[in-house]
């Protein structure tokens, strides 16, 4: 049995659970489609905390994601497969998705880039973010839009990118200088906004 057959069998095993345990379908759809909105809101709100390390963490996570996406695009040039619902019969497809190259999973790249960065910066305390990233990956298989290999490679790329950025970027004075510049601009804007409200 080759790796593609194992990939198909693993997909069938996970995806068919949606037919057997239908009460999990709605939560899986929400996780697969809408947790990206939750992540975006968290990033925006957390950026405006006064903790400088939080800003560095979010900046590194964003750069890790960009790096991971670039690596992901190169990986997509080396291997191509359509979404499972476009190829396999009797797929339990629960969400709409355009047919294109599903390798690797962009959602998984996004979540592992950010969640791994969070975990590294918070010294392993934010383990729930890693569990969320894993859950997002599983949900993409459950709803029928990705193979396990799409998700596993996406996770590997996201994790690797987060580790590379974590151990290199915060040491650069460019990041500290950038944060200092941003904070000075933010103070000016807040001061002007405060004066406008008083008037």
């Amino acid at each position: 049995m080759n790796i593609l057959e194992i990939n198909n069998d693993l997909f069938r095993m996970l995806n068919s659970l949606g037919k057997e345990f239908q009460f999990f379908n709605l939560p899986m759809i929400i996780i697969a489609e809408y947790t990206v909105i939750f992540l975006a809101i968290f990033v925006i709100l957390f950026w405006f905390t006064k903790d400088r390390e939080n800003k560095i963490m979010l900046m590194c996570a964003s750069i890790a994601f960009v790096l991971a996406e670039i690596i992901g695009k190169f990986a997509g040039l080396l291997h191509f497969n359509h979404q499972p619902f476009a190829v396999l019969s009797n797929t339990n497809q629960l969400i709409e998705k355009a047919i294109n190259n599903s390798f690797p999973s962009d959602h998984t790249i996004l979540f592992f880039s950010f969640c791994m960065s969070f975990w590294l910066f918070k010294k392993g305390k934010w383990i729930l973010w890693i569990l969320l990233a894993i859950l997002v990956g599983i949900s993409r298989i459950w709803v029928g839009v990705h193979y396990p290999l799409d998700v596993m490679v996406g996770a590997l790329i996201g994790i690797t990118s987060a580790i590379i950025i974590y151990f290199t970027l915060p040491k650069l004075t460019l990041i500290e200088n950038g944060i200092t510049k941003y904070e000075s601009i933010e103070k000016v804007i807040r001061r002007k906004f405060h004066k406008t409200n008083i008037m």
Side-chain angles (χ1 to χ4, degrees):
M1 187 179 287
N2 63 37
I3 193 167
L4 293 180
E5 288 173 334
I6 295 170
N7 193 34
N8 286 349
D9 289 347
L10 282 173
F11 170 78
R12 288 288 192 196
M13 185 179 72
L14 279 168
N15 182 249
S16 63
L17 291 174
K19 296 176 182 178
E20 190 175 349
F21 305 102
Q22 294 187 14
F23 51 88
F24 280 125
N25 285 344
L26 181 58
M28 284 297 184
I29 290 169
I30 292 169
I31 292 165
E33 284 276 78
Y34 302 110
T35 44
V36 66
I37 298 171
F38 164 73
L39 178 63
I41 291 170
F42 173 83
V43 168
I44 292 167
L45 292 177
F46 218 60
W47 177 263
F48 290 104
T49 61
K50 293 181 179 180
D51 191 334
R52 173 174 281 227
E53 188 179 339
N54 288 341
K55 288 185 173 68
I56 294 172
M57 177 183 73
L58 294 175
M59 189 178 288
C60 287
S62 301
I63 294 169
F65 169 59
V66 172
L67 174 62
E69 270 292 288
I70 292 168
I71 296 170
K73 295 307 177 193
F74 277 110
L77 295 175
L78 299 174
H79 176 76
F80 184 98
N81 56 250
H82 285 306
Q83 282 79 7
F85 66 80
V87 179
L88 302 177
S89 58
N90 299 317
T91 298
N92 188 32
Q93 183 188 356
L94 301 177
I95 62 175
E96 290 298 317
K97 184 85 168 66
I99 298 172
N100 50 30
N101 186 9
S102 72
F103 180 87
S105 165
D106 287 329
H107 267 73
T108 311
I109 285 174
L110 169 67
F111 273 87
F112 273 93
S113 299
F114 272 88
C115 295
M116 187 66 187
S117 296
F118 296 165
W119 185 80
L120 288 167
F121 271 90
K122 297 301 179 181
K123 303 297 183 286
K125 292 177 183 176
W126 284 15
I127 190 67
L128 288 177
W129 283 100
I130 299 294
L131 296 178
L132 177 63
I134 293 168
L135 196 55
V136 168
I138 291 170
S139 73
R140 302 297 288 180
I141 302 167
W142 186 289
V143 300
V145 297
H146 281 293
Y147 290 99
L149 196 60
D150 300 341
V151 169
M152 286 187 281
V153 172
L156 182 62
I157 292 170
I159 289 168
T160 304
S161 298
I163 291 170
I164 290 169
I165 296 302
Y166 174 75
F167 284 107
T168 56
L169 212 63
K171 295 174 184 176
L172 301 177
T173 55
L174 177 68
I175 295 298
E176 282 288 340
N177 293 341
I179 293 290
T180 302
K181 186 70 176 173
Y182 167 80
E183 286 176 341
S184 63
I185 293 169
E186 186 182 310
K187 282 178 184 176
V188 171
I189 293 170
R190 281 184 176 177
R191 223 176 281 125
K192 286 185 178 179
F193 183 75
H194 183 67
K195 283 180 181 177
T196 304
N197 283 347
I198 292 173
M199 293 171 68

